[in-house]
PDB file of all heavy atoms in Angstrom:
ATOM      1  N   GLU A 399     125.035  97.896  32.051  1.00 95.00           N
ATOM      2  CA  GLU A 399     125.088  96.483  32.406  1.00 95.00           C
ATOM      3  C   GLU A 399     124.461  96.162  33.761  1.00 95.00           C
ATOM      4  O   GLU A 399     124.012  95.023  33.976  1.00 95.00           O
ATOM      5  CB  GLU A 399     126.546  96.006  32.397  1.00 95.00           C
ATOM      6  CG  GLU A 399     127.198  96.066  31.025  1.00 95.00           C
ATOM      7  CD  GLU A 399     128.647  95.629  31.048  1.00 95.00           C
ATOM      8  OE1 GLU A 399     129.152  95.300  32.163  1.00 95.00           O
ATOM      9  OE2 GLU A 399     129.294  95.618  29.975  1.00 95.00           O
ATOM     10  N   HIS A 400     124.416  97.123  34.675  1.00 96.00           N
ATOM     11  CA  HIS A 400     123.946  96.826  36.028  1.00 96.00           C
ATOM     12  C   HIS A 400     122.736  97.664  36.455  1.00 96.00           C
ATOM     13  O   HIS A 400     121.746  97.116  36.941  1.00 96.00           O
ATOM     14  CB  HIS A 400     125.097  97.028  37.026  1.00 96.00           C
ATOM     15  CG  HIS A 400     126.291  96.177  36.758  1.00 96.00           C
ATOM     16  ND1 HIS A 400     126.319  94.825  37.002  1.00 96.00           N
ATOM     17  CD2 HIS A 400     127.512  96.487  36.254  1.00 96.00           C
ATOM     18  CE1 HIS A 400     127.493  94.323  36.670  1.00 96.00           C
ATOM     19  NE2 HIS A 400     128.237  95.310  36.209  1.00 96.00           N
ATOM     20  N   ILE A 401     122.831  98.983  36.284  1.00 96.00           N
ATOM     21  CA  ILE A 401     121.769  99.852  36.800  1.00 96.00           C
ATOM     22  C   ILE A 401     120.520  99.791  35.932  1.00 96.00           C
ATOM     23  O   ILE A 401     119.409  99.582  36.437  1.00 96.00           O
ATOM     24  CB  ILE A 401     122.276 101.302  36.912  1.00 96.00           C
ATOM     25  CG1 ILE A 401     123.430 101.373  37.919  1.00 96.00           C
ATOM     26  CG2 ILE A 401     121.151 102.234  37.328  1.00 96.00           C
ATOM     27  CD1 ILE A 401     124.097 102.742  38.024  1.00 96.00           C
ATOM     28  N   ALA A 402     120.669  99.977  34.624  1.00 96.00           N
ATOM     29  CA  ALA A 402     119.510  99.998  33.733  1.00 96.00           C
ATOM     30  C   ALA A 402     118.681  98.709  33.810  1.00 96.00           C
ATOM     31  O   ALA A 402     117.443  98.779  33.857  1.00 96.00           O
ATOM     32  CB  ALA A 402     119.950 100.278  32.293  1.00 96.00           C
ATOM     33  N   PRO A 403     119.299  97.510  33.833  1.00 96.00           N
ATOM     34  CA  PRO A 403     118.482  96.296  33.951  1.00 96.00           C
ATOM     35  C   PRO A 403     117.639  96.259  35.224  1.00 96.00           C
ATOM     36  O   PRO A 403     116.493  95.787  35.203  1.00 96.00           O
ATOM     37  CB  PRO A 403     119.522  95.168  33.948  1.00 96.00           C
ATOM     38  CG  PRO A 403     120.671  95.736  33.172  1.00 96.00           C
ATOM     39  CD  PRO A 403     120.717  97.186  33.562  1.00 96.00           C
ATOM     40  N   LYS A 404     118.184  96.771  36.330  1.00 96.00           N
ATOM     41  CA  LYS A 404     117.408  96.811  37.574  1.00 96.00           C
ATOM     42  C   LYS A 404     116.243  97.792  37.450  1.00 96.00           C
ATOM     43  O   LYS A 404     115.128  97.521  37.932  1.00 96.00           O
ATOM     44  CB  LYS A 404     118.310  97.205  38.743  1.00 96.00           C
ATOM     45  CG  LYS A 404     119.364  96.173  39.088  1.00 96.00           C
ATOM     46  CD  LYS A 404     120.199  96.604  40.286  1.00 96.00           C
ATOM     47  CE  LYS A 404     121.306  95.584  40.550  1.00 96.00           C
ATOM     48  NZ  LYS A 404     120.777  94.228  40.849  1.00 96.00           N
ATOM     49  N   MET A 405     116.493  98.944  36.826  1.00 96.00           N
ATOM     50  CA  MET A 405     115.430  99.922  36.631  1.00 96.00           C
ATOM     51  C   MET A 405     114.320  99.349  35.753  1.00 96.00           C
ATOM     52  O   MET A 405     113.127  99.495  36.051  1.00 96.00           O
ATOM     53  CB  MET A 405     115.999 101.193  36.002  1.00 96.00           C
ATOM     54  CG  MET A 405     116.966 101.962  36.882  1.00 96.00           C
ATOM     55  SD  MET A 405     117.776 103.320  35.984  1.00 96.00           S
ATOM     56  CE  MET A 405     116.370 104.362  35.578  1.00 96.00           C
ATOM     57  N   LYS A 406     114.704  98.689  34.674  1.00 95.00           N
ATOM     58  CA  LYS A 406     113.712  98.147  33.743  1.00 95.00           C
ATOM     59  C   LYS A 406     112.871  97.059  34.407  1.00 95.00           C
ATOM     60  O   LYS A 406     111.643  97.014  34.230  1.00 95.00           O
ATOM     61  CB  LYS A 406     114.417  97.599  32.503  1.00 95.00           C
ATOM     62  CG  LYS A 406     115.094  98.671  31.654  1.00 95.00           C
ATOM     63  CD  LYS A 406     115.822  98.066  30.464  1.00 95.00           C
ATOM     64  CE  LYS A 406     116.493  99.126  29.614  1.00 95.00           C
ATOM     65  NZ  LYS A 406     117.169  98.572  28.418  1.00 95.00           N
ATOM     66  N   ALA A 407     113.522  96.173  35.162  1.00 93.00           N
ATOM     67  CA  ALA A 407     112.783  95.110  35.848  1.00 93.00           C
ATOM     68  C   ALA A 407     111.822  95.699  36.872  1.00 93.00           C
ATOM     69  O   ALA A 407     110.673  95.243  37.006  1.00 93.00           O
ATOM     70  CB  ALA A 407     113.764  94.147  36.516  1.00 93.00           C
ATOM     71  N   PHE A 408     112.280  96.731  37.582  1.00 94.00           N
ATOM     72  CA  PHE A 408     111.442  97.399  38.583  1.00 94.00           C
ATOM     73  C   PHE A 408     110.210  98.013  37.920  1.00 94.00           C
ATOM     74  O   PHE A 408     109.083  97.870  38.408  1.00 94.00           O
ATOM     75  CB  PHE A 408     112.277  98.465  39.294  1.00 94.00           C
ATOM     76  CG  PHE A 408     111.528  99.247  40.334  1.00 94.00           C
ATOM     77  CD1 PHE A 408     111.338  98.734  41.607  1.00 94.00           C
ATOM     78  CD2 PHE A 408     111.021 100.502  40.051  1.00 94.00           C
ATOM     79  CE1 PHE A 408     110.651  99.451  42.579  1.00 94.00           C
ATOM     80  CE2 PHE A 408     110.336 101.236  40.999  1.00 94.00           C
ATOM     81  CZ  PHE A 408     110.155 100.700  42.277  1.00 94.00           C
ATOM     82  N   MET A 409     110.415  98.708  36.807  1.00 93.00           N
ATOM     83  CA  MET A 409     109.300  99.361  36.125  1.00 93.00           C
ATOM     84  C   MET A 409     108.290  98.348  35.600  1.00 93.00           C
ATOM     85  O   MET A 409     107.078  98.546  35.701  1.00 93.00           O
ATOM     86  CB  MET A 409     109.830 100.219  34.969  1.00 93.00           C
ATOM     87  CG  MET A 409     110.606 101.443  35.412  1.00 93.00           C
ATOM     88  SD  MET A 409     111.267 102.348  33.987  1.00 93.00           S
ATOM     89  CE  MET A 409     112.319 103.536  34.815  1.00 93.00           C
ATOM     90  N   ARG A 410     108.769  97.266  35.012  1.00 90.00           N
ATOM     91  CA  ARG A 410     107.850  96.269  34.468  1.00 90.00           C
ATOM     92  C   ARG A 410     107.046  95.598  35.579  1.00 90.00           C
ATOM     93  O   ARG A 410     105.840  95.378  35.443  1.00 90.00           O
ATOM     94  CB  ARG A 410     108.624  95.227  33.654  1.00 90.00           C
ATOM     95  CG  ARG A 410     109.150  95.782  32.328  1.00 90.00           C
ATOM     96  CD  ARG A 410     109.679  94.694  31.426  1.00 90.00           C
ATOM     97  NE  ARG A 410     110.101  95.255  30.149  1.00 90.00           N
ATOM     98  CZ  ARG A 410     109.303  95.461  29.108  1.00 90.00           C
ATOM     99  NH1 ARG A 410     108.024  95.146  29.215  1.00 90.00           N
ATOM    100  NH2 ARG A 410     109.763  95.977  27.984  1.00 90.00           N
ATOM    101  N   GLU A 411     107.718  95.277  36.673  1.00 87.00           N
ATOM    102  CA  GLU A 411     107.007  94.626  37.780  1.00 87.00           C
ATOM    103  C   GLU A 411     105.976  95.558  38.395  1.00 87.00           C
ATOM    104  O   GLU A 411     104.824  95.183  38.612  1.00 87.00           O
ATOM    105  CB  GLU A 411     108.017  94.198  38.843  1.00 87.00           C
ATOM    106  CG  GLU A 411     107.359  93.578  40.070  1.00 87.00           C
ATOM    107  CD  GLU A 411     108.352  93.268  41.173  1.00 87.00           C
ATOM    108  OE1 GLU A 411     109.580  93.370  40.915  1.00 87.00           O
ATOM    109  OE2 GLU A 411     107.912  92.931  42.283  1.00 87.00           O
ATOM    110  N   GLN A 412     106.384  96.787  38.671  1.00 85.00           N
ATOM    111  CA  GLN A 412     105.482  97.730  39.336  1.00 85.00           C
ATOM    112  C   GLN A 412     104.414  98.260  38.380  1.00 85.00           C
ATOM    113  O   GLN A 412     103.290  98.537  38.785  1.00 85.00           O
ATOM    114  CB  GLN A 412     106.284  98.889  39.922  1.00 85.00           C
ATOM    115  CG  GLN A 412     107.271  98.481  40.992  1.00 85.00           C
ATOM    116  CD  GLN A 412     106.588  97.801  42.174  1.00 85.00           C
ATOM    117  OE1 GLN A 412     105.401  97.986  42.446  1.00 85.00           O
ATOM    118  NE2 GLN A 412     107.370  97.008  42.914  1.00 85.00           N
ATOM    119  N   GLY A 413     104.763  98.407  37.096  1.00 72.00           N
ATOM    120  CA  GLY A 413     103.788  98.898  36.153  1.00 72.00           C
ATOM    121  C   GLY A 413     102.617  97.963  35.986  1.00 72.00           C
ATOM    122  O   GLY A 413     101.467  98.396  35.821  1.00 72.00           O
ATOM    123  N   ALA A 414     102.867  96.666  36.069  1.00 71.00           N
ATOM    124  CA  ALA A 414     101.797  95.683  35.915  1.00 71.00           C
ATOM    125  C   ALA A 414     100.817  95.722  37.076  1.00 71.00           C
ATOM    126  O   ALA A 414      99.653  95.342  36.949  1.00 71.00           O
ATOM    127  CB  ALA A 414     102.402  94.290  35.783  1.00 71.00           C
ATOM    128  N   GLU A 415     101.298  96.203  38.225  1.00 71.00           N
ATOM    129  CA  GLU A 415     100.469  96.185  39.428  1.00 71.00           C
ATOM    130  C   GLU A 415      99.934  97.568  39.800  1.00 71.00           C
ATOM    131  O   GLU A 415      99.038  97.687  40.649  1.00 71.00           O
ATOM    132  CB  GLU A 415     101.285  95.643  40.605  1.00 71.00           C
ATOM    133  CG  GLU A 415     101.854  94.246  40.372  1.00 71.00           C
ATOM    134  CD  GLU A 415     102.754  93.799  41.514  1.00 71.00           C
ATOM    135  OE1 GLU A 415     102.910  94.593  42.469  1.00 71.00           O
ATOM    136  OE2 GLU A 415     103.310  92.700  41.432  1.00 71.00           O
ATOM    137  N   ALA A 416     100.465  98.634  39.168  1.00 65.00           N
ATOM    138  CA  ALA A 416     100.139  99.977  39.610  1.00 65.00           C
ATOM    139  C   ALA A 416      98.650 100.299  39.544  1.00 65.00           C
ATOM    140  O   ALA A 416      98.057 100.763  40.522  1.00 65.00           O
ATOM    141  CB  ALA A 416     100.922 101.001  38.767  1.00 65.00           C
ATOM    142  N   LEU A 417      98.040 100.054  38.385  1.00 64.00           N
ATOM    143  CA  LEU A 417      96.626 100.396  38.233  1.00 64.00           C
ATOM    144  C   LEU A 417      95.733  99.502  39.108  1.00 64.00           C
ATOM    145  O   LEU A 417      94.676  99.939  39.576  1.00 64.00           O
ATOM    146  CB  LEU A 417      96.216 100.291  36.766  1.00 64.00           C
ATOM    147  CG  LEU A 417      96.928 101.261  35.821  1.00 64.00           C
ATOM    148  CD1 LEU A 417      96.406 101.092  34.397  1.00 64.00           C
ATOM    149  CD2 LEU A 417      96.758 102.714  36.279  1.00 64.00           C
ATOM    150  N   ALA A 418      96.188  98.278  39.350  1.00 66.00           N
ATOM    151  CA  ALA A 418      95.409  97.373  40.198  1.00 66.00           C
ATOM    152  C   ALA A 418      95.384  97.836  41.652  1.00 66.00           C
ATOM    153  O   ALA A 418      94.460  97.501  42.397  1.00 66.00           O
ATOM    154  CB  ALA A 418      95.981  95.962  40.113  1.00 66.00           C
ATOM    155  N   ARG A 419      96.408  98.612  42.046  1.00 65.00           N
ATOM    156  CA  ARG A 419      96.472  99.091  43.429  1.00 65.00           C
ATOM    157  C   ARG A 419      95.480 100.221  43.693  1.00 65.00           C
ATOM    158  O   ARG A 419      95.246 100.595  44.845  1.00 65.00           O
ATOM    159  CB  ARG A 419      97.878  99.583  43.745  1.00 65.00           C
ATOM    160  CG  ARG A 419      98.934  98.509  43.797  1.00 65.00           C
ATOM    161  CD  ARG A 419     100.204  99.019  44.458  1.00 65.00           C
ATOM    162  NE  ARG A 419     100.881 100.039  43.708  1.00 65.00           N
ATOM    163  CZ  ARG A 419     101.877  99.819  42.842  1.00 65.00           C
ATOM    164  NH1 ARG A 419     102.269  98.580  42.633  1.00 65.00           N
ATOM    165  NH2 ARG A 419     102.449 100.798  42.184  1.00 65.00           N
TER     166      ARG A 419
END
Side-chain angles (χ1 to χ4, degrees):
E399 296 178 359
H400 301 287
I401 297 175
K404 293 182 184 300
M405 294 172 63
K406 293 178 180 182
F408 179 81
M409 291 177 189
R410 289 191 177 274
E411 177 185 351
Q412 297 301 336
E415 302 175 0
L417 297 182
R419 292 195 294 266

